[in-house]
Amino acid sequence: MLQLSVIRENPEEIIRRLGIKNFDGSEIIPQIISLDDQRRETQKMLDNLQAQNNAMARKIGVLFKSGKTAEANLLKEKTAELKNQSKDLNTAFENTKKELDDLLVRIPNLPHESVPPGKSSDDNLIIRTEGNIPKLPEGSVPHWELAAKYDIIDFSLGNKISGAGFPVYKGKGAHLQRSLINFFLEQAVKAGYLEIQPPYLVNAASGYGTGQLPDKDGQMYYAPLDDLYLIPTAEVPVTNIYRDIILKESELPVKNVAYSACFRREAGSYGKDVRGLNRLHQFDKVEIVQIVHPENSYKILDEMVEYVSGLLRALELPFRVVKLCGGDISFTSAMTFDMEVWSAAQERWLEVSSVSNFESFQANRMKLRFKDETGKIHLAHTLNGSALALPRIMAALLENNQDADGIRIPSALQPYTGFDKIS
RNA sequence: GGAGAGAUGUCCGAGUGGUCUAAGGAGCACGCCUGGAGAGCGUGUAAUCGCCAAAAGCGGUUCAUGGGUUCGAAUCCCAUUCUCUCCGCCA
């Protein structure tokens, strides 16, 4: 959520920058400012009235105590009018505030100045490409065929138990998943992240805190009986640990890592983009989250991209780093880098990580703040990134490392798998 | 799921209708004391909104959350959420 003070300071500039995200703020921004004016005006009157009320009540108390009952009763009658007025004003105040809030939560984060304009992923900026694109031998196949050939991932079994998008991993396939999770977690812990095991179901307040609600309502699985949402990413429970918290400046940066299953309804997805492991309703991901001082957040964004790059190098996967354009960047993000690995058999780039700086957007919603040395309170900046999402890593590993007699396991993973080949 | 008890500031904890402007303690910060540290002593110690260009100041709100009763609510009533104890069920 954008800060009202920021919006009021320079509305034209806000509208311009929202435009980079292809969001038209020309009506909603002035509307917000006029609602805020109205809110202030109402509060002024309400505060005044309440101050009178309080003074009167105090006076009556004193009179009763000193036995001047008649005088007290006279005053009591006077309060009725004040009470009615303040009741009406209070209703007006609450309504205005709610209206204002409803508009505010619908405004996306401002993109950073350096975010390129654009409509879709075609306008993204390729920052760099690393690693060698492998030349696959004759007869190479996409990962869904390899999965069947070596009996390591069963898609139709998932269909039977749950439905499309819920694969069943078996044998060395399951083991490889587990190895990847352990590898990612241990690397993060070595890099100074605190390991967290979060809940998989969260309440609505948490959904609002990280911005999934109300923007992505309908993309999350929802359990109405208990009013809980299945997490689409560990970002939600982990970041919300710090909801309504004032940290000490010395506690920054907070670095957390969590493995979790992730659940996404992916309503509206179809076609060959969703084939095999490309898009699932349930998948595994290791997520890194940082809460940092606003001064450092972009430096740390770069560090996080570099950290994820290191993981991909260790896995010997060719990858590229893409800076998202305004049209492709998420609702909550100010700047996002996607990391994509080359899927040799599908001959396309697959997004395996998305690293974002949310600046104070999530922090403002969550009231996540820190206190500096002088005692002043500021909103913190939040960042997160996948490190990494498993399915497409799995897809790329299977496809890129296939040869006539099986699938080679990169040496970094072998201590975790205990085998060097799936055959 | 049933019965009961409870939720107060950073923490512990007192407070059952009227200066609550929330006692007391711990913690923390600063100062004094000390060769240094500790102890001791002293001072301070929430958030949020509004008025004001800002600071200071003034006012509003906040004792789990939301309603209600009352001139006046941490305190009384109702609902919700959460925690604890016992019982039941159970990986």
Side-chain angles (χ1 to χ4, degrees):
Chain A
M1 190 158 69
L2 296 180
Q3 289 172 265
L4 255 173
S5 54
V6 174
I7 294 177
R8 293 189 71 106
E9 230 163 69
N10 196 346
E12 289 79 21
E13 173 67 6
I14 300 290
I15 292 170
R16 184 189 70 76
R17 285 177 67 186
L18 286 174
I20 295 173
K21 275 201 174 178
N22 305 318
F23 180 92
D24 180 10
S26 60
E27 271 180 44
I28 196 168
I29 294 294
Q31 208 178 342
I32 281 173
I33 291 173
S34 103
L35 272 171
D36 189 45
D37 286 339
Q38 197 182 321
R39 188 201 108 242
R40 289 179 190 214
E41 194 55 39
T42 316
Q43 179 171 351
K44 225 188 297 178
M45 294 191 285
L46 185 62
D47 283 0
N48 215 310
L49 224 52
Q50 250 153 354
Q52 284 181 54
N53 250 330
N54 290 343
M56 201 92 86
R58 239 170 283 148
K59 218 183 279 175
I60 292 171
V62 173
L63 288 175
F64 269 124
K65 256 198 169 160
S66 53
K68 295 175 182 160
T69 320
E71 264 179 76
N73 282 328
L74 213 73
L75 262 183
K76 258 167 95 168
E77 282 165 32
K78 276 195 184 169
T79 60
E81 172 66 8
L82 278 178
K83 235 180 123 180
N84 267 332
Q85 276 182 39
S86 62
K87 199 165 189 173
D88 289 348
L89 267 179
N90 197 43
T91 314
F93 180 70
E94 294 297 336
N95 286 343
T96 310
K97 229 169 64 176
K98 189 171 179 309
E99 225 177 302
L100 184 59
D101 246 30
D102 286 348
L103 290 184
L104 269 175
V105 295
R106 292 194 149 73
I107 297 187
N109 197 4
L110 298 180
H112 185 267
E113 281 300 349
S114 72
V115 167
K119 292 267 178 273
S120 71
S121 54
D122 299 335
D123 302 314
N124 292 342
L125 230 62
I126 296 164
I127 302 296
R128 62 171 200 269
T129 306
E130 273 191 54
N132 298 316
I133 308 265
K135 273 246 167 65
L136 292 186
E138 212 39 47
S140 295
V141 293
H143 67 270
W144 49 88
E145 289 183 30
L146 293 165
K149 182 176 173 190
Y150 297 109
D151 196 22
I152 49 174
I153 306 172
D154 196 325
F155 292 99
S156 48
L157 205 50
N159 284 346
K160 171 187 170 182
I161 303 169
S162 305
F166 293 94
V168 176
Y169 301 86
K170 300 199 293 193
K172 284 185 172 172
H175 196 153
L176 182 54
Q177 284 275 116
R178 176 156 53 92
S179 302
L180 282 165
I181 293 165
N182 283 336
F183 172 66
F184 293 148
L185 280 174
E186 284 189 20
Q187 292 300 310
V189 169
K190 268 187 213 155
Y193 289 87
L194 176 72
E195 185 176 346
I196 303 279
Q197 275 200 22
Y200 287 9
L201 286 107
V202 295
N203 56 29
S206 295
Y208 276 97
T210 31
Q212 279 72 23
L213 293 174
D215 181 51
K216 284 193 183 142
D217 196 9
Q219 285 299 330
M220 285 189 288
Y221 286 98
Y222 175 59
L225 205 56
D226 296 291
D227 196 20
L228 292 170
Y229 296 83
L230 270 81
I231 56 171
T233 156
E235 164 198 346
V236 179
V238 172
T239 314
N240 273 283
I241 291 173
Y242 306 94
R243 171 151 49 87
D244 290 319
I245 293 273
I246 300 176
L247 295 160
K248 291 193 205 111
E249 191 170 6
S250 60
E251 291 174 290
L252 301 176
V254 172
K255 299 172 79 176
N256 286 174
V257 60
Y259 154 75
S260 86
C262 302
F263 304 91
R264 298 186 182 179
R265 295 189 60 231
E266 301 293 357
S269 298
Y270 60 91
K272 86 172 177 353
D273 284 3
V274 306
R275 191 91 194 264
L277 292 170
N278 289 346
R279 193 173 293 276
L280 301 172
H281 288 307
Q282 179 186 319
F283 63 95
D284 293 298
K285 181 159 62 66
V286 172
E287 181 83 2
I288 51 176
V289 172
Q290 289 209 39
I291 297 162
V292 307
H293 196 288
E295 277 172 10
N296 308 329
S297 64
Y298 281 95
K299 193 182 116 230
I300 286 175
L301 180 65
D302 288 340
E303 283 175 19
M304 286 170 75
V305 169
E306 187 45 38
Y307 171 76
V308 176
S309 301
L311 294 178
L312 292 170
R313 279 179 212 125
L315 293 176
E316 302 163 36
L317 290 169
F319 68 94
R320 63 181 193 182
V321 179
V322 174
K323 183 171 182 173
L324 298 195
C325 73
D328 206 24
I329 209 170
S330 80
F331 183 83
T332 43
S333 173
M335 195 195 287
T336 298
F337 292 97
D338 273 4
M339 322 280 286
E340 303 177 335
V341 297
W342 178 251
S343 155
Q346 298 180 74
E347 296 191 315
R348 60 190 191 110
W349 295 97
L350 298 177
E351 180 198 332
V352 291
S353 176
S354 191
V355 185
S356 304
N357 185 357
F358 304 98
E359 297 191 1
S360 62
F361 190 84
Q362 291 182 329
N364 190 34
R365 282 195 176 198
M366 279 194 283
K367 302 282 167 272
L368 194 189
R369 292 158 295 172
F370 71 92
K371 194 178 258 189
D372 69 20
E373 286 158 357
T374 68
K376 270 196 100 173
I377 287 175
H378 313 268
L379 291 170
H381 280 194
T382 61
L383 303 96
N384 68 44
S386 350
L388 286 156
L390 269 73
R392 295 176 194 156
I393 289 288
M394 184 74 121
L397 281 178
L398 298 182
E399 292 180 8
N400 294 13
N401 297 341
Q402 60 181 306
D403 57 32
D405 47 279
I407 293 151
R408 185 182 60 82
I409 304 295
S411 56
L413 283 178
Q414 288 173 20
Y416 297 89
T417 56
F419 52 83
D420 59 5
K421 196 104 187 175
I422 293 175
S423 52

